[in-house]
Amino acid sequence: MPKTDSNVSRIYAALRRMAADFELKPDERINESALSQTLGASRTPLREALNRLVAEGFLTFQSGRGFFCRPLSPAAVMELYEARVAVETETARLAARNATDEGRRALSGLLDEMAEEYAASEDAARLLEMDEAFHLEIAALSGNGELCRMVENLNDRVRFIRMVFMSRMAASGAPRLAAHRAIAEAINRGDEAAAAQAMRSHIERRRGEAAEAVRTAYSRIYVPEDGS
Amino acid sequence: MPKTDSNVSRIYAALRRMAADFELKPDERINESALSQTLGASRTPLREALNRLVAEGFLTFQSGRGFFCRPLSPAAVMELYEARVAVETETARLAARNATDEGRRALSGLLDEMAEEYAASEDAARLLEMDEAFHLEIAALSGNGELCRMVENLNDRVRFIRMVFMSRMAASGAPRLAAHRAIAEAINRGDEAAAAQAMRSHIERRRGEAAEAVRTAYSRIYVPEDGS
DNA sequence: GCATATCAATCTGTATACAGCTGACAGGGG
DNA sequence: CCCCTGTCAGCTGTATACAGATTGATATGC
């Protein structure tokens, strides 16, 4: 067994991406034997990875029936957005309180880099990636590893929906960039309340579109690739 | 295999309790073979449960070395308290916004029941149980299942430390009860900002004591039971 | 024609076997 | 005296086998 490094982490990463992208369709039952063959491993490490993903909210589990992909519903997405508000208003607040000067400079720098690419790029995936990097950077500045984990988990679970947003509204990145600047400036001023409030309105603004986006998302998941 | 119901969930529950109570000592390496014998099962379901607990933050994992109990340090406990602030200020806010009249009555009722027992009981475990029930009820009133999960997880992970608080300061339940009343009243008025603020100061008040409590906690974990 | 019972195919839950890796210790060389 | 290296016991990582549960289809009675 001359593997580079642990097999289960490879399986875990692959499954996590598949679940995040809804390659496993909502509520779809997972056939362990088939999946283990697809991934080139036996069921034992596969099930270990599946169990981790259940605990992280990417999958569900019913005793005796097996593992399923998480459901995709407007209500579920709304809950995730509310959870993001809860966690990220606090990361913004703590970042404003705790960030070092070096950290503040790094945040501003990140924003400047993004500004250029924002104008140029129309690649939704790339825009989303930068957006997530910004939110993660703030979490890092908060100095709280637990909150970082939460932000990362929530980001990954709403990525698919956010991707649908992004590619639908295409080039409207400008308001988002402005909102990011407002958040970063509040953090750099050390204004906790303003940072928290800016983050809250930034996330809540998108929340209401969840219902519509979920409908679009379903069509993406179930309609075959347009290359056919 | 005539088990009542799934073996892995039994193992999971047992391990979770053991980890929560630090029967597995901080950073202690877990011997899978020995533990599987203790729990009366084989290593396969044991490892599935261990993987779930890693994802939930009760254990850590190092490839090739195995599973370890989570560390117990003042910094880690502080992070958990900050995460509680993040999550529970939002559950309080959402509860104030969304709770039905029936829900509000239930919360008041819960508080009234607790008031009686608070005065009478000096059982720290029972007091803590009621305290957690109050916080979980608010999470339920928020109507957000995701936030409920988070509150439950965080409560379980700080339970040991809170237990140390409780039994050290013994009969000082009165201020906590007053704080709970303030939170409940804000929720019942539908005053989101007041509910969030009351919850924040309620949790933050205890946060500072973490460092001291961790020291006490260590002595509890490593000093043998006083019955010896 | 519909509901129900039965049965086979399939899948999950768990035990067990074994290969490879890790960490500790002893012995030899610098 | 310290460090380096070979060896070995023990543990982890994974495959596989098999028992019990589930599911869906077919047959049967009303």
Side-chain angles (χ1 to χ4, degrees):
Chain A
M1 218 134 305
K3 282 293 148 52
T4 59
D5 77 340
S6 101
N7 207 2
V8 67
S9 67
R10 181 180 59 80
I11 296 174
Y12 166 77
L15 274 178
R16 185 176 163 119
R17 194 196 51 73
M18 288 170 68
D21 295 350
F22 283 106
E23 283 177 31
L24 309 169
K25 307 204 187 330
D27 291 312
E28 184 183 34
R29 183 172 178 172
I30 291 171
N31 184 325
E32 296 175 13
S33 307
L35 192 54
S36 69
Q37 281 196 319
T38 303
L39 295 174
S42 74
R43 284 177 52 219
T44 309
L46 171 62
R47 282 177 60 100
E48 292 190 8
L50 290 169
N51 272 287
R52 278 181 65 174
L53 291 166
V54 168
E56 291 177 7
F58 285 96
L59 304 176
T60 62
F61 173 75
Q62 294 178 43
S63 181
R65 299 198 56 221
F67 297 87
F68 301 78
C69 189
R70 71 194 189 283
L72 173 61
S73 69
V77 173
M78 278 274 291
E79 289 194 351
L80 290 174
Y81 270 78
E82 285 178 353
R84 285 187 65 204
V85 168
V87 173
E88 299 210 34
T89 55
E90 198 68 12
T91 58
R93 186 189 302 272
L94 291 173
R97 185 184 307 165
N98 299 330
T100 62
D101 283 347
E102 185 184 10
R104 291 173 212 269
R105 275 195 300 276
L107 186 64
S108 298
L110 186 62
L111 213 48
D112 290 338
E113 284 177 38
M114 285 167 56
E116 298 176 26
E117 218 173 328
Y118 245 88
S121 175
E122 290 192 357
D123 178 6
R126 177 70 189 125
L127 293 176
L128 184 51
E129 194 182 316
M130 289 191 294
D131 190 287
E132 290 184 1
F134 177 76
H135 286 265
L136 274 176
E137 178 67 20
I138 291 175
L141 292 183
S142 79
N144 186 314
E146 195 59 37
L147 291 174
C148 282
R149 276 183 33 165
M150 289 179 173
V151 169
E152 201 171 338
N153 175 268
L154 292 171
N155 267 342
D156 289 346
R157 288 165 69 190
V158 295
R159 178 171 304 132
F160 187 82
I161 285 293
R162 299 188 71 201
M163 190 69 190
V164 171
F165 279 179
M166 288 284 208
S167 45
R168 268 165 52 95
M169 58 181 65
S172 71
R176 193 190 316 275
L177 186 60
H180 283 183
R181 278 218 184 284
I183 295 167
E185 275 166 22
I187 288 173
N188 284 339
R189 285 201 313 275
D191 187 340
E192 297 182 22
Q197 183 54 43
M199 181 65 88
R200 175 180 295 277
S201 56
H202 171 54
I203 297 175
E204 282 183 345
R205 186 158 301 132
R206 259 79 194 177
R207 197 192 53 181
E209 304 165 353
E212 176 61 20
V214 168
R215 224 170 300 136
T216 308
Y218 263 101
S219 72
R220 282 228 189 160
I221 293 170
Y222 290 104
V223 173
E225 293 290 321
D226 59 356
S228 70
Chain B
M1 218 135 303
K3 283 291 147 52
T4 60
D5 77 340
S6 99
N7 207 2
V8 67
S9 67
R10 180 181 60 81
I11 295 174
Y12 166 77
L15 274 179
R16 185 177 161 118
R17 193 197 51 73
M18 288 171 68
D21 295 350
F22 283 105
E23 281 177 31
L24 309 169
K25 307 204 184 331
D27 291 311
E28 183 181 37
R29 183 173 178 169
I30 291 172
N31 185 324
E32 297 174 13
S33 307
L35 191 54
S36 69
Q37 281 196 318
T38 303
L39 295 174
S42 74
R43 283 178 54 222
T44 309
L46 171 62
R47 281 178 62 100
E48 293 191 8
L50 289 169
N51 272 287
R52 278 182 64 176
L53 291 166
V54 168
E56 291 178 7
F58 285 95
L59 304 176
T60 62
F61 172 75
Q62 294 177 44
S63 180
R65 299 197 54 223
F67 296 87
F68 301 78
C69 189
R70 69 193 188 286
L72 174 61
S73 69
V77 173
M78 278 273 290
E79 290 195 350
L80 291 173
Y81 269 79
E82 286 179 352
R84 284 188 66 204
V85 168
V87 173
E88 298 210 35
T89 55
E90 199 67 12
T91 59
R93 186 189 301 272
L94 290 172
R97 186 184 305 165
N98 300 329
T100 62
D101 283 347
E102 186 183 8
R104 290 172 213 270
R105 277 195 300 276
L107 186 64
S108 298
L110 185 62
L111 213 48
D112 290 338
E113 284 177 38
M114 283 167 58
E116 298 177 25
E117 219 173 326
Y118 243 90
S121 174
E122 290 191 358
D123 178 7
R126 177 72 188 125
L127 293 176
L128 184 51
E129 193 182 317
M130 289 191 294
D131 190 287
E132 290 185 0
F134 177 76
H135 286 263
L136 273 176
E137 178 67 20
I138 290 175
L141 292 183
S142 79
N144 187 315
E146 195 58 38
L147 291 173
C148 283
R149 276 182 34 165
M150 289 178 172
V151 169
E152 202 171 337
N153 175 266
L154 292 171
N155 267 343
D156 290 345
R157 288 165 69 191
V158 297
R159 178 172 304 133
F160 187 82
I161 285 293
R162 299 188 70 201
M163 190 69 190
V164 171
F165 279 178
M166 287 284 208
S167 46
R168 268 166 52 95
M169 59 182 62
S172 70
R176 193 190 315 275
L177 187 60
H180 283 182
R181 278 217 184 284
I183 295 166
E185 276 168 20
I187 289 173
N188 284 340
R189 285 200 312 275
D191 187 340
E192 297 180 23
Q197 183 53 46
M199 180 65 88
R200 175 180 295 276
S201 55
H202 171 54
I203 296 175
E204 282 183 345
R205 187 158 300 134
R206 259 79 194 176
R207 197 192 53 181
E209 304 165 354
E212 176 60 20
V214 168
R215 223 169 301 135
T216 310
Y218 264 101
S219 72
R220 280 226 193 161
I221 292 170
Y222 290 103
V223 173
E225 292 291 321
D226 60 355
S228 71

